[in-house]
Amino acid sequence: FHAVEYSHPDEVPCQQFPFYLTTGRVMAQYQSGTQTRRVPDLCDAAPRAFVEIHPSMASRYSLFDGELVKVISRRGEVLVETRFSTSIRPDTLFIPFH
């Protein structure tokens, strides 16, 4: 182990982009899904991309669970369904990358 000095992120939430956006895997898919998307049961478990958002934050933006929304970041945009979750921080969005 080596101690490192903390440095702040280069991009933080602001008025135009008020959330942290994180990406990752879901249990039913692996990497890009090139193999797991061929297995019907796994595909049924995670059929499409979504954005996970805390219900209190969704309420502030008048969003409904399962609603189709456009998520725009400094790097691009994507059209996905909302999925409410109390396990995510209110200032953070999660989108699977596969």
Side-chain angles (χ1 to χ4, degrees):
F1 292 102
H2 298 279
V4 295
E5 190 173 321
Y6 174 78
S7 61
H8 293 281
D10 289 336
E11 296 176 350
V12 294
C14 64
Q15 187 173 0
Q16 186 177 6
F17 301 103
F19 299 103
Y20 289 102
L21 174 62
T22 186
T23 61
R25 293 181 174 94
V26 294
M27 188 171 63
Q29 298 298 330
Y30 180 74
Q31 299 292 46
S32 65
T34 55
Q35 293 179 11
T36 52
R37 292 248 181 243
R38 298 178 190 178
V39 179
D41 288 343
L42 294 177
C43 201
D44 290 344
R48 64 185 77 55
F50 58 88
V51 58
E52 193 171 87
I53 185 170
H54 194 279
S56 66
M57 191 54 67
S59 176
R60 287 180 59 189
Y61 289 87
S62 301
L63 300 177
F64 299 96
D65 197 25
E67 178 179 14
L68 200 59
V69 296
K70 184 186 295 187
V71 178
I72 302 171
S73 77
R74 293 175 179 92
R75 306 285 172 246
E77 60 186 55
V78 64
L79 199 59
V80 289
E81 287 183 11
T82 57
R83 183 177 290 177
F84 292 0
S85 174
T86 56
S87 65
I88 193 164
R89 291 173 21 169
D91 66 345
T92 303
L93 303 175
F94 170 80
I95 299 177
F97 58 67
H98 34 70

